[in-house]
Amino acid sequence: MNVILVSNRLSRAITLGPRHVWLIALFCALALLGSLTLASWATYTFTRSFGISLPAIPGTPVAQQKQIDLLAVKLGQMQAQMVRLDGLTRRVSDKTGIDAKPFLSSTSAPQGGATPLLASRPVSLKSLQALTSQTDRQIELAIDQFSVVDTILTEQRQKSWQLPANLPTSSGLRSSLYGWRIDPFNGRQSFHEGIDFIGDIGTPIYAAAGGTVLRAERHAEYGNMVEIDHGNGLTSRYAHASALLVREGEAVKSGQKIALLGNTGRSTGPHMHFEVRYKGIAQNPLYFLHVDGSPTATMAAVD
């Protein structure tokens, strides 16, 4: 097939054979492909420069990576829960005499068995997510059960050492509880190891129980902080104070004024951060405090 081109600008007609037609078609196809490539690159550059992410197609590596990231976050939460559970296990062990080592997360549980007759199969991402959520719920349940057991054992052995049972401030208003929360500084999920009590600057802070002052100092994150040793590995902390009224090594009584509420350290406003720790591991203060009462000088003695 020949193509004849006729124009008033041309002195003569031009005849294009089959070879010429194919070359022109190939040139047009390459030009179109180049235009599409350039448009795709421009779109990608534009969206990246404005921080816009194009939606990922399910099943692609990008979508799978997002699911892996979610599992990684959940794993981090479960690891923190295991630290809490280990702490409760050691406390129950100390009070009952049972060896805690076989029950700690650092001790691998022995496993074995004969070779299965049925063919093994890979674990899908969906089933892995379901197993992770199920394990997370089981850990939470175990923590609740151990906490109840620990509280009962503690109450049964109230003889010689003091529980931080009295409210550390007369305001009694709690703005943030013990547990997971959204961090007010970075917006990420973090574990809050105490209870926050809000109040005016200068509100008295009282010792939740008698003991010896371990620290009364300025801390980068806690601000002005007092830490009291109540015996048998049990301590309490009072953070973000505007002023400290006790010194390291000083003996204090339950209900004694030890500091004034403030807004020092890593704080967004006037409040007091209160912690209870057993052998350095943070515990839920609500297991100890008489939340319906007010600061008193009554001493709760425990073995």
Side-chain angles (χ1 to χ4, degrees), residues 4-84:
I4 301 175
L5 299 178
V6 179
S7 173
N8 293 330
R9 297 182 180 181
L10 300 175
S11 58
R12 61 186 181 84
I14 299 177
T15 301
L16 301 178
R19 181 180 179 184
H20 297 92
V21 174
W22 280 110
L23 288 175
I24 293 175
L26 180 61
F27 175 79
C28 293
L30 292 174
L32 179 60
L33 180 61
S35 299
L36 292 175
T37 302
L38 180 62
S40 300
W41 176 83
T43 302
Y44 173 78
T45 303
F46 177 79
T47 55
R48 291 282 291 182
S49 63
F50 285 91
I52 303 173
S53 298
L54 298 177
I57 301 175
T60 63
V62 174
Q64 290 178 358
Q65 184 61 50
K66 290 181 179 179
Q67 293 173 319
I68 292 173
D69 291 342
L70 292 176
L71 284 175
V73 172
K74 177 63 69 174
L75 178 60
Q77 295 174 358
M78 292 169 63
Q79 288 173 337
Q81 291 170 327
M82 290 304 301
V83 172
R84 293 172 56 195

Side-chain angles (χ1 to χ4, degrees), residues 73-100:
V73 172
K74 177 63 69 174
L75 178 60
Q77 295 174 358
M78 292 169 63
Q79 288 173 337
Q81 291 170 327
M82 290 304 301
V83 172
R84 293 172 56 195
L85 188 56
D86 283 349
L88 287 170
T89 301
R90 290 189 178 95
R91 288 185 60 172
V92 172
S93 172
D94 291 343
K95 296 172 183 177
T96 60
I98 299 175
D99 184 13

Side-chain angles (χ1 to χ4, degrees), residues 144-281:
D144 291 341
Q145 293 172 340
F146 266 74
S147 298
V148 171
V149 172
D150 178 59
T151 302
I152 293 174
L153 290 173
T154 298
E155 292 175 350
Q156 289 177 346
R157 302 182 62 191
Q158 291 184 350
K159 294 178 182 178
S160 64
W161 54 286
Q162 303 188 74
L163 284 177
N166 294 312
L167 284 177
T169 177
S170 57
S171 69
L173 298 176
R174 299 183 294 276
S175 60
S176 185
L177 296 179
Y178 175 89
W180 289 99
R181 69 171 185 177
I182 301 300
D183 191 286
F185 289 91
N186 56 32
R188 299 173 65 87
Q189 194 174 39
S190 61
F191 194 84
H192 189 230
E193 296 185 329
I195 295 178
D196 291 342
F197 293 85
I198 61 174
D200 297 328
I201 292 180
T203 300
I205 296 174
Y206 305 96
T212 303
V213 177
L214 284 178
R215 289 192 289 176
E217 61 187 16
R218 177 82 178 192
H219 188 277
E221 295 186 341
Y222 285 100
N224 293 325
M225 180 192 74
V226 175
E227 184 171 10
I228 300 175
D229 181 10
H230 304 293
N232 284 17
L234 194 64
T235 61
S236 59
R237 291 181 180 179
Y238 314 76
H240 308 306
S242 59
L244 304 179
L245 306 180
V246 293
R247 294 175 296 179
E248 182 179 340
E250 182 177 343
V252 296
K253 297 180 179 180
S254 179
Q256 179 179 333
K257 188 189 298 184
I258 59 174
L260 301 179
L261 189 145
N263 184 29
T264 58
R266 193 172 184 265
S267 171
T268 61
H271 75 287
M272 180 200 60
H273 174 81
F274 175 70
E275 291 182 8
V276 175
R277 291 178 175 265
Y278 179 71
K279 294 186 176 180
I281 300 176

Side-chain angles (χ1 to χ4, degrees), residues 88-123:
L88 287 170
T89 301
R90 290 189 178 95
R91 288 185 60 172
V92 172
S93 172
D94 291 343
K95 296 172 183 177
T96 60
I98 299 175
D99 184 13
K101 186 176 180 181
F103 305 99
L104 298 177
S105 62
S106 58
T107 304
S108 300
Q111 296 180 345
T115 303
L117 299 177
L118 297 177
S120 61
R121 57 186 181 184
V123 179

